[in-house]
Amino acid sequence: CARRAEAILQASDDPADARRLANLYGNRGIAHEQMGHLVAALADYERKLAFFQKLPERTPEAALDEALARNDIGVIQALLGQYNDAEVSFQTALDRLTFDADAPFLHTGRTLVLMDMAWLKVLRHSPPGTVRRAFQQARASRDQLVDASAHLYFTCIDLDEANYLVRSGQWHEVDRTRLNFLRTQ
């Protein structure tokens, strides 16, 4: 079904269909990622990114979409063990998220990228201070969000950091007060 839709959208000259095609690539990338087909997921996310790179107008929404595509690519690269490439993808995603007072949704994208960058630091076995700073940056970004559901979504920042601390023998540094607060949410 997706292949037929892809062929139809590729044949269309309508700009709206080009965006639909980019969304199809993103959704198919998610499906491939969930099934463990990481190379296929990477290819789909790269196709999605190509659409946003070709847009003539750089709106905040387009910048966010491009950053999220780059973030998806970084996640797959990290899962494939391509840590240097993942770091470049995450940093480029972060660079695309310039802030505009009228576009608060960019802060949510920034928090996601910072969270994934912290996760990458753990995977890379970065020095403890580097890992802790990465989690602090992600948490500081999350704490600027005004949407309560976004705060709930990003509780994994605290959980991931606690997991890192326990697994690295630093269990005494786990912020139990924060974890107890999360339990009540």
Side-chain angles (χ1 to χ4, degrees), residues 55-56 59 61 79 89 98-99 105 117 122 124 128 143 151 159 161:
L55 288 177
T59 65
E61 292 84 2
L79 292 171
S89 293
T98 56
F99 292 95
F105 54 85
M117 289 175 87
V122 171
R124 291 190 85 150
D143 292 346
H151 276 269
L159 297 172
E161 183 178 32

Side-chain angles (χ1 to χ4, degrees), residues 101-114:
D102 295 333
F105 54 85
L106 292 177
H107 290 287
T108 304
R110 177 179 166 77
T111 303
L112 177 65
V113 174
L114 288 169

